[in-house]
Amino acid sequence: MTTTFASDITGQRAAHLDADVSGQKHFDQLIADDSRVEPTDWMPEGYRKTLTRQVSQHAHSEIIGMQPEANWISRAPSLKRKAILIAKVQDEAGHGLYLYSAAETLGTDREELVEQLLSGKAKYSSIFNYPARTWADVGAIGWLVDGAAIANQVPLCRASYGPYARSMVRICKEESFHQRQGWEILYELANGTPEQKQMAQEAINRFYGPALQMFGPPDDESPNSRQSMAWNIKRFSNDELRQRFVDMIVPQAEALGLHFEDPDLKWNEERGHYDFGELDWSEFKSVVSGNGPCNEQRMKHRRQAHEEGAWVREAAAAYVRRQAEQSEPGALIA
Ligand SMILES: [Fe+2]
Ligand SMILES: [Fe+2]
């Protein structure tokens, strides 16, 4: 008996091993062909883990990112601005939903992902720990923060994991509108009274550094990037994306009649790119590790919103249960 049992187990292990080997082969081929990996495909544990972390952190960032601007909905300077801002903040909630759904296809359910955020185990983009102090900050967030998000996310439309890549296509279209509305807020202020222009300049002074840090640490301090690039999740390195972003925003700032307060920022003829100054990475590390101006407030607000939304989740679950009961044969007759 024992021998049969043991050989059964060995047989099962061998079968699993075979499946892993052929799964790995199939996966490697998909990556080599630059094809999409779908939820039903076999994938290495590391790939699944990396993506679960990246996609869920992205979802958390969209949801937490609603806060700095939502603060301004009731104070937007006109009905038109209020309507635009409401639409933008709602878009961010939608982005969170697509991304939680994409993350769930990797095998971790949303409740657990949200719990990781609420317990502080999961991170979100550090930029949302900065406050929006003035109306011009809402413009700077749209132009620079959503702008950096686009620069990061357009290449993700070609990420190897199908559900993530597809969610990015729609998200990027909406981000373009966000960036445009931010730029337009600043354009109006920059062409307004001297005080308004000053307010716009101060806002971009505040957001320039943190927006450039959104691309993550310099390449030589970003050890996971190489693996993500080998898996076709990431297409460009942090520094490449940051450079691309700087090259894009400098002429846009000139068109606004504003400037970035970076003494090292200048066109480099030889490289064909703008040079720019060293960023304050100690500040970045401090904000990431919880000491930014709004970390505590953001998490407190999110926990409270989660608790206040409990009845919505219960009602939705009860509705689904009832639908399922009613669709069982004979349920309506009974
Ligand atoms: Fe978004
Ligand atoms: Fe956005």
Side-chain angles (χ1 to χ4, degrees):
M1 282 298 281
T2 318
T3 324
T4 319
F5 181 71
S7 63
D8 275 358
I9 295 284
T10 318
Q12 279 169 18
R13 273 196 200 131
H16 278 304
L17 220 65
D18 276 357
D20 280 1
V21 171
S22 65
Q24 179 79 52
K25 249 179 144 176
H26 177 63
F27 175 84
D28 291 345
Q29 195 58 50
L30 288 175
I31 299 297
D33 295 344
D34 205 358
S35 291
R36 294 277 182 272
V37 177
E38 297 297 338
T40 46
D41 289 320
W42 184 95
M43 59 189 88
E45 253 336 277
Y47 180 84
R48 190 185 296 278
K49 260 195 192 151
T50 298
L51 271 163
T52 303
R53 194 185 61 238
Q54 179 170 341
V55 181
S56 62
Q57 284 186 3
H58 194 161
H60 302 327
S61 303
E62 300 283 356
I63 298 297
I64 298 282
M66 294 164 72
Q67 291 186 38
E69 290 168 293
N71 272 338
W72 278 93
I73 290 174
S74 60
R75 292 177 289 164
S78 69
L79 186 58
K80 183 183 126 194
R81 292 291 180 200
K82 200 185 284 272
I84 294 171
L85 191 57
I86 289 174
K88 193 225 182 228
V89 173
Q90 280 181 338
D91 281 352
E92 306 301 4
H95 298 174
L97 294 184
Y98 313 149
L99 288 163
Y100 280 127
S101 301
E104 280 192 304
T105 64
L106 291 155
T108 309
D109 68 31
R110 183 162 151 192
E111 218 177 307
E112 194 177 331
L113 298 171
V114 169
E115 188 44 45
Q116 288 170 358
L117 171 69
L118 299 180
S119 68
K121 194 178 153 210
K123 296 258 182 282
Y124 54 87
S125 179
S126 168
I127 190 78
F128 301 118
N129 292 314
Y130 290 89
R133 295 187 197 283
T134 68
W135 174 248
D137 282 10
V138 175
I141 290 173
W143 175 43
L144 295 175
V145 175
D146 292 84
I150 296 172
N152 238 328
Q153 289 167 198
V154 165
L156 288 173
C157 296
R158 295 189 294 120
S160 56
Y161 189 58
Y164 190 33
R166 287 188 288 274
S167 70
M168 280 299 132
V169 174
R170 175 159 175 180
I171 288 177
C172 284
K173 284 183 186 161
E174 292 175 347
E175 294 300 355
S176 302
F177 149 67
H178 300 170
Q179 189 192 25
R180 185 62 69 89
Q181 66 88 38
W183 195 85
E184 207 242 338
I185 289 172
L186 292 175
Y187 184 83
E188 238 174 64
L189 292 173
N191 289 284
T193 64
E195 289 80 7
Q196 285 174 322
K197 185 169 183 179
Q198 181 62 24
M199 187 164 80
Q201 182 60 55
E202 284 168 9
I204 72 166
N205 293 350
R206 279 194 281 276
F207 280 92
Y208 170 74
L212 295 198
Q213 289 174 334
M214 284 175 69
F215 297 94
D219 291 349
D220 50 11
E221 289 169 40
S222 178
N224 298 330
S225 286
R226 209 164 304 127
Q227 178 62 73
S228 284
M229 287 175 86
W231 278 330
N232 293 346
I233 299 171
K234 216 173 150 66
R235 300 286 179 163
F236 301 97
S237 76
N238 296 353
D239 287 332
E240 283 172 325
L241 290 169
R242 193 170 4 253
Q243 180 69 64
R244 190 182 277 201
F245 182 61
V246 171
D247 291 347
M248 183 181 82
I249 60 174
V250 173
Q252 290 179 354
E254 282 164 10
L256 287 170
L258 302 173
H259 62 274
F260 296 115
E261 283 192 335
D262 176 352
D264 297 320
L265 184 65
K266 54 179 171 301
W267 180 250
N268 183 325
E269 194 66 57
E270 212 172 293
R271 291 201 309 122
H273 292 289
Y274 283 93
D275 289 337
F276 54 98
E278 187 61 37
L279 298 165
D280 184 351
W281 292 109
S282 61
E283 181 193 324
F284 177 77
K285 280 177 194 144
S286 151
V287 178
V288 168
S289 52
N291 303 315
C294 298
N295 299 55
E296 229 180 283
Q297 184 189 330
R298 298 288 183 246
M299 286 312 298
K300 192 173 156 214
H301 188 84
R302 179 89 293 274
R303 286 192 193 102
Q304 191 187 336
H306 189 73
E307 277 163 30
E308 287 171 358
W311 70 273
V312 180
R313 292 189 296 279
E314 281 162 24
Y319 178 76
V320 170
R321 262 198 315 274
R322 214 164 98 190
Q323 293 289 100
E325 279 164 19
Q326 284 179 357
S327 65
E328 274 171 25
L332 285 176
I333 304 161

